[in-house]
Amino acid sequence: MRTYAKPIAAVTGSLVLAAGLTACGGSTAASDEKTVTVYSADGLKGEAGDGWYDKVFADFEKKTGIKVKYVEGGSGEMVQRALREKSNTQADVLVTLPPFIQQAGSKGLLQKYTPQGADHVGGGDKASDGTWTSVVNNYFGFVHNKKELPTAPTTWEELLDGRFKDRLQYSTPGVAGDGTAVLIKAMHDFGGQEPAMEYLKKLQANNVGPSSSTSKLAPKVDKGELLVANGDVQMNFAQSRSMPNLGIWFPAKGTGRPTTFALPYAAGLVDKAPHAENGRKLLDFMLTEGAQREVSAIGGGFPARKDVKATDANAIELAKLMEGVEVFEPDWADIDKNLTAYVDAWKSATGS
């Protein structure tokens, strides 16, 4: 385990460049050589077109003439879509969160490509076989409504209180990356699968129900429909610009320290990508110093490149947010291998 000690920089939001993909998109895409199609987990999308993706994609098109076609959804949902299309590939670049990026690799959805600048990305933030590289670093967290709940909860145990009944929600494990992160953090904090499931079974009494997308929960918290929901630092920090009632916090177990873990947006070149060369160019571009430096200033996360040190106001605020929070490193190999079993155990425990 390690503790966050210094500002690491920040990343954020993004854009939805509408992707009008057809069922036979492979042939359609092949006829349009000045495009690149990105399948991405939600969270980097700017609600007002003011996010990191918005800026990066616009700059990329201006520089190369290549238009980005963008499709987003839950982390697991994007991998499943790419898997269904494996015999007729439509995406060029896949961006998703752990453990789904590892899942994409193990299912043969990615081809090897090391983007320029990847040598400045930490070893734990890229695949050893060269199939994916983090482009935006991030951390798992929760949000609360600062107006109705001015003081954030501090522990998992507090969330069992009756005041949270039907005012708490977390996204679906196995479908959403941040929802899966709830399982991962609970198993770490409670010391294993069995005690974590015992806790989540109790928490279900207060849980509103499933949500395939984590990004849809923050607006409910901001409006006061929910008091607490799961999320991640990058996405929620970016959302807080237009949602003033959002506050970010990290649960602890009992009297222990609050914990979190890195949950980066990792990108890979899709196997048999219809525009592989354009995909390589986009991956290179996302890791340029310029793109990485804009990560914190534009919205709210952490650059993937270790040599990019952000000092803007957002980076300073994010550093303060992370002070005193213990960052642990999940066993991603174990999670990739046993994810289905963990999700099944969660479904059994919660009746989901």
Side-chain angles (χ1 to χ4, degrees):
M1 298 181 186
R2 56 190 173 89
T3 300
Y4 185 95
K6 60 182 180 180
I8 306 182
V11 136
T12 180
S14 74
L15 142 84
V16 175
L17 282 165
L21 298 179
T22 63
C24 56
S27 58
T28 302
S31 65
D32 186 357
E33 297 303 329
K34 299 300 286 185
T35 64
V36 59
T37 298
V38 176
Y39 282 9
S40 179
D42 54 357
L44 291 176
K45 170 184 171 293
E47 296 295 332
D50 56 355
W52 188 70
Y53 269 170
D54 302 77
K55 183 66 163 62
V56 169
F57 292 167
D59 288 349
F60 177 71
E61 182 177 354
K62 184 177 180 181
K63 179 181 179 180
T64 65
I66 299 169
K67 182 177 178 60
V68 179
K69 293 184 177 180
Y70 181 73
V71 180
E72 76 165 31
S75 297
E77 178 188 357
M78 289 294 91
V79 173
Q80 287 304 310
R81 177 168 177 166
L83 188 62
R84 289 195 302 270
E85 298 169 351
K86 196 172 181 181
S87 62
N88 184 24
T89 307
Q90 297 181 39
D92 300 301
V93 172
L94 176 67
V95 185
T96 190
L97 308 180
F100 298 103
I101 192 67
Q102 289 90 344
Q103 185 182 83
S106 65
K107 292 183 180 297
L109 293 178
L110 305 175
Q111 58 177 292
K112 293 181 180 181
Y113 179 64
T114 302
Q116 295 177 25
D119 54 322
H120 295 292
V121 176
D125 294 326
K126 56 189 177 185
S128 58
D129 64 358
T131 53
W132 57 265
T133 305
S134 297
V135 293
V136 170
N137 276 341
N138 192 17
Y139 295 92
F140 177 64
F142 277 71
V143 288
H144 70 105
N145 180 291
K146 294 192 293 185
K147 186 176 180 181
E148 294 192 41
L149 197 66
T151 302
T154 57
T155 69
W156 286 105
E157 289 82 359
E158 282 183 70
L159 298 181
L160 299 177
D161 190 272
R163 64 180 168 155
F164 292 107
K165 184 170 178 61
D166 296 328
R167 305 289 300 280
L168 175 152
Q169 190 174 16
Y170 61 91
S171 50
T172 308
V175 176
D178 290 325
T180 306
V182 172
L183 281 188
I184 295 170
K185 178 170 157 58
M187 288 193 294
H188 170 270
D189 290 359
F190 285 91
Q193 176 182 320
E194 188 173 335
M197 299 309 161
E198 288 177 5
Y199 169 79
L200 292 172
K201 180 178 181 179
K202 296 175 184 177
L203 185 66
Q204 195 66 11
N206 289 342
N207 187 20
V208 170
S211 174
S212 63
S213 173
T214 312
S215 65
K216 295 177 181 178
L217 302 183
K220 295 181 181 180
V221 174
D222 181 63
K223 293 173 185 175
E225 295 175 24
L226 299 173
L227 290 177
V228 170
N230 69 314
D232 61 68
V233 174
Q234 174 278 319
M235 177 174 65
N236 297 142
F237 188 89
Q239 289 172 317
S240 68
R241 290 183 300 177
S242 59
M243 302 178 194
N245 295 321
L246 284 188
I248 300 172
W249 65 288
F250 306 91
K253 180 181 180 296
T255 58
R257 296 175 62 185
T259 69
T260 188
F261 61 96
L263 204 59
Y265 291 90
L269 186 65
V270 177
D271 186 48
K272 298 181 178 67
H275 301 102
E277 187 55 35
N278 294 348
R280 294 184 186 96
K281 289 177 180 177
L282 180 60
L283 289 169
D284 289 347
F285 193 82
M286 288 194 287
L287 278 180
T288 58
E289 279 193 59
Q292 290 285 302
R293 287 189 185 284
E294 290 175 328
V295 150
S296 55
I298 288 180
F302 307 81
R305 286 181 57 153
K306 291 180 174 295
D307 62 329
V308 175
K309 309 295 182 183
T311 58
D312 58 85
N314 284 351
I316 293 169
E317 188 175 346
L318 285 161
K320 290 179 179 178
L321 178 68
M322 298 295 293
E323 285 179 0
V325 181
E326 187 176 84
V327 180
F328 65 91
E329 186 173 341
D331 184 343
W332 291 116
D334 170 77
I335 294 165
D336 182 37
K337 180 181 178 181
N338 297 301
L339 179 60
T340 300
Y342 294 148
V343 172
D344 287 346
W346 170 79
K347 290 177 179 178
S348 177
T350 61
S352 298

PDB file of all heavy atoms in Angstrom, residues 24 50 68 87 177 235 306 346:
ATOM      1  N   CYS A  24     -23.260  -2.869 -40.169  1.00  0.00           N
ATOM      2  CA  CYS A  24     -22.182  -3.324 -41.041  1.00  0.00           C
ATOM      3  C   CYS A  24     -21.096  -2.256 -41.094  1.00  0.00           C
ATOM      4  O   CYS A  24     -20.532  -1.983 -42.149  1.00  0.00           O
ATOM      5  CB  CYS A  24     -22.692  -3.643 -42.436  1.00  0.00           C
ATOM      6  SG  CYS A  24     -23.567  -2.265 -43.226  1.00  0.00           S
ATOM      7  N   ASP A  50     -17.001  20.755 -22.926  1.00  0.00           N
ATOM      8  CA  ASP A  50     -15.834  21.455 -22.394  1.00  0.00           C
ATOM      9  C   ASP A  50     -14.850  20.524 -21.689  1.00  0.00           C
ATOM     10  O   ASP A  50     -14.107  20.936 -20.816  1.00  0.00           O
ATOM     11  CB  ASP A  50     -16.294  22.541 -21.407  1.00  0.00           C
ATOM     12  CG  ASP A  50     -17.150  21.972 -20.275  1.00  0.00           C
ATOM     13  OD1 ASP A  50     -17.472  20.759 -20.305  1.00  0.00           O
ATOM     14  OD2 ASP A  50     -17.505  22.741 -19.363  1.00  0.00           O
ATOM     15  N   VAL A  68     -12.919  12.198 -35.286  1.00  0.00           N
ATOM     16  CA  VAL A  68     -13.158  11.162 -34.275  1.00  0.00           C
ATOM     17  C   VAL A  68     -14.646  10.864 -34.182  1.00  0.00           C
ATOM     18  O   VAL A  68     -15.462  11.763 -33.964  1.00  0.00           O
ATOM     19  CB  VAL A  68     -12.636  11.597 -32.895  1.00  0.00           C
ATOM     20  CG1 VAL A  68     -12.925  10.512 -31.860  1.00  0.00           C
ATOM     21  CG2 VAL A  68     -11.137  11.886 -32.945  1.00  0.00           C
ATOM     22  N   SER A  87     -16.117 -10.284 -35.198  1.00  0.00           N
ATOM     23  CA  SER A  87     -16.029 -10.803 -36.568  1.00  0.00           C
ATOM     24  C   SER A  87     -16.266  -9.708 -37.608  1.00  0.00           C
ATOM     25  O   SER A  87     -16.102  -9.938 -38.804  1.00  0.00           O
ATOM     26  CB  SER A  87     -17.053 -11.934 -36.778  1.00  0.00           C
ATOM     27  OG  SER A  87     -18.370 -11.450 -36.597  1.00  0.00           O
ATOM     28  N   GLY A 177     -17.509   0.235 -14.578  1.00  0.00           N
ATOM     29  CA  GLY A 177     -16.184   0.151 -13.968  1.00  0.00           C
ATOM     30  C   GLY A 177     -16.192   0.597 -12.518  1.00  0.00           C
ATOM     31  O   GLY A 177     -15.615  -0.048 -11.643  1.00  0.00           O
ATOM     32  N   MET A 235     -14.165  12.092 -12.901  1.00  0.00           N
ATOM     33  CA  MET A 235     -15.496  12.373 -13.412  1.00  0.00           C
ATOM     34  C   MET A 235     -16.248  13.323 -12.484  1.00  0.00           C
ATOM     35  O   MET A 235     -16.850  14.308 -12.935  1.00  0.00           O
ATOM     36  CB  MET A 235     -16.283  11.070 -13.582  1.00  0.00           C
ATOM     37  CG  MET A 235     -17.705  11.252 -14.048  1.00  0.00           C
ATOM     38  SD  MET A 235     -18.523   9.678 -14.395  1.00  0.00           S
ATOM     39  CE  MET A 235     -18.555   8.949 -12.743  1.00  0.00           C
ATOM     40  N   LYS A 306       4.262  10.456 -16.077  1.00  0.00           N
ATOM     41  CA  LYS A 306       4.901  10.858 -14.830  1.00  0.00           C
ATOM     42  C   LYS A 306       5.739  12.117 -14.966  1.00  0.00           C
ATOM     43  O   LYS A 306       6.024  12.796 -13.970  1.00  0.00           O
ATOM     44  CB  LYS A 306       5.772   9.706 -14.292  1.00  0.00           C
ATOM     45  CG  LYS A 306       4.982   8.497 -13.806  1.00  0.00           C
ATOM     46  CD  LYS A 306       5.908   7.414 -13.299  1.00  0.00           C
ATOM     47  CE  LYS A 306       5.126   6.250 -12.676  1.00  0.00           C
ATOM     48  NZ  LYS A 306       4.399   6.647 -11.456  1.00  0.00           N
ATOM     49  N   TRP A 346     -21.763 -11.278  -5.463  1.00  0.00           N
ATOM     50  CA  TRP A 346     -22.470 -10.033  -5.157  1.00  0.00           C
ATOM     51  C   TRP A 346     -23.964 -10.167  -5.500  1.00  0.00           C
ATOM     52  O   TRP A 346     -24.839  -9.763  -4.714  1.00  0.00           O
ATOM     53  CB  TRP A 346     -21.854  -8.887  -5.950  1.00  0.00           C
ATOM     54  CG  TRP A 346     -22.656  -7.629  -5.875  1.00  0.00           C
ATOM     55  CD1 TRP A 346     -22.689  -6.720  -4.862  1.00  0.00           C
ATOM     56  CD2 TRP A 346     -23.590  -7.154  -6.873  1.00  0.00           C
ATOM     57  NE1 TRP A 346     -23.570  -5.704  -5.152  1.00  0.00           N
ATOM     58  CE2 TRP A 346     -24.142  -5.950  -6.382  1.00  0.00           C
ATOM     59  CE3 TRP A 346     -23.994  -7.634  -8.109  1.00  0.00           C
ATOM     60  CZ2 TRP A 346     -25.085  -5.220  -7.108  1.00  0.00           C
ATOM     61  CZ3 TRP A 346     -24.939  -6.911  -8.823  1.00  0.00           C
ATOM     62  CH2 TRP A 346     -25.460  -5.724  -8.315  1.00  0.00           C
TER      63      TRP A 346
END
